[in-house]
Amino acid sequence: VDARGLSCPQPVIMTMNKIKELGSGEIEILVDTDTSKENVSRAAESKGWNVKEIKPDGSGYRLTISK
C-alpha cells in the first residue's frame, strides 16, 4: 500500500481496505509522516494485525503488518 504524500485519514483508509481485501497474510505500507505511521499502526492492531516491522524508507517509513 503506497500512501506516501497522502494526509490522514487516507493512509488508514487504504490500509483498512487492504486488510478487508486480504483477511490475512502480510502487507507492506509506505507512509511519509510520523502521524501516518502511528495511525496506521494503531488501526492495524485494532483489527488484530501485528506490526512486525517499522523501518525508515527514504523520507518516510515502511511498515510491515501481518496476521
Side-chain angles (χ1 to χ4, degrees):
V1 176
D2 188 348
R4 292 173 292 190
L6 301 172
S7 56
C8 277
Q10 203 60 35
V12 171
I13 292 167
M14 291 171 69
T15 301
M16 291 294 104
N17 288 341
K18 184 58 79 172
I19 282 173
K20 281 183 206 152
E21 179 186 321
L22 293 181
S24 64
E26 189 168 282
I27 304 171
E28 279 193 346
I29 305 107
L30 302 172
V31 296
D32 55 6
T33 66
D34 288 336
T35 303
S36 294
K37 174 186 72 167
E38 297 301 325
N39 290 344
V40 167
S41 296
R42 231 185 342 266
E45 287 173 341
S46 78
K47 296 293 182 188
W49 287 63
N50 296 316
V51 178
K52 283 178 48 176
E53 187 173 49
I54 299 175
K55 59 184 178 185
D57 185 87
S59 61
Y61 303 96
R62 179 180 302 264
L63 291 79
T64 306
I65 64 173
S66 66
K67 181 173 184 181

